Amino acid sequence: MQYLWTFLVGGALCAIAQILIDKCKLTPARILVMYVCAGTFLTLFGWYEPLVEFAGAGATIPLTGFGYTLAKGVKAAVSEKGLLGVLTGGLTGAAAGITAAIAFGYLIALICKPKPKQ
């Protein structure tokens, strides 16, 4: 049952983004920023954590989950380091995901031999 809820919640978040792309005059980049900000603000008010507990990866993999990760990192760093944690917490919280994206992107670039558009 957990797989079903993960799929439905993640799919709903992606479907909302697709509807915004199709029906609004927003660019995909603006929608991505809106999703990260939404995840951050929902985490700030304590509303995103229950969704993460309910849907697991369905809530943490989309970009709202990136905002959630940033907010959790800032919250933890502020409790440890004080005001300096506002500047360092987001990067610390998201470091593993960013590092993995860079490393796997580099690995795929080595394997696939990318070429520039002409």
Side-chain angles (χ1 to χ4, degrees):
M1 196 66 181
Q2 180 65 40
Y3 292 127
L4 177 65
W5 287 119
T6 298
F7 175 77
L8 291 175
V9 170
L13 289 169
C14 294
I16 292 168
Q18 188 62 49
I19 290 168
L20 288 172
I21 289 171
D22 292 343
K23 300 294 181 187
C24 299
K25 297 296 180 194
L26 296 171
T27 63
R30 287 185 179 171
I31 294 169
L32 297 175
V33 170
M34 283 178 21
Y35 263 45
V36 172
C37 290
T40 303
F41 286 119
L42 291 172
T43 303
L44 174 69
F45 295 116
W47 299 334
Y48 205 74
E49 185 71 33
L51 184 64
V52 169
E53 291 174 6
F54 175 73
T60 58
I61 298 299
L63 281 170
T64 50
F66 184 66
Y68 165 74
T69 302
L70 290 174
K72 274 184 50 178
V74 168
K75 184 178 177 182
V78 166
S79 67
E80 290 177 12
K81 300 176 185 174
L83 193 56
L84 183 62
V86 172
L87 301 174
T88 62
L91 292 175
T92 304
I98 294 170
T99 302
I102 292 170
F104 288 124
Y106 181 73
L107 181 65
I108 295 300
L110 289 175
I111 294 170
C112 296
K113 307 282 189 230
K115 298 178 182 107
K117 282 186 165 182
Q118 296 182 14

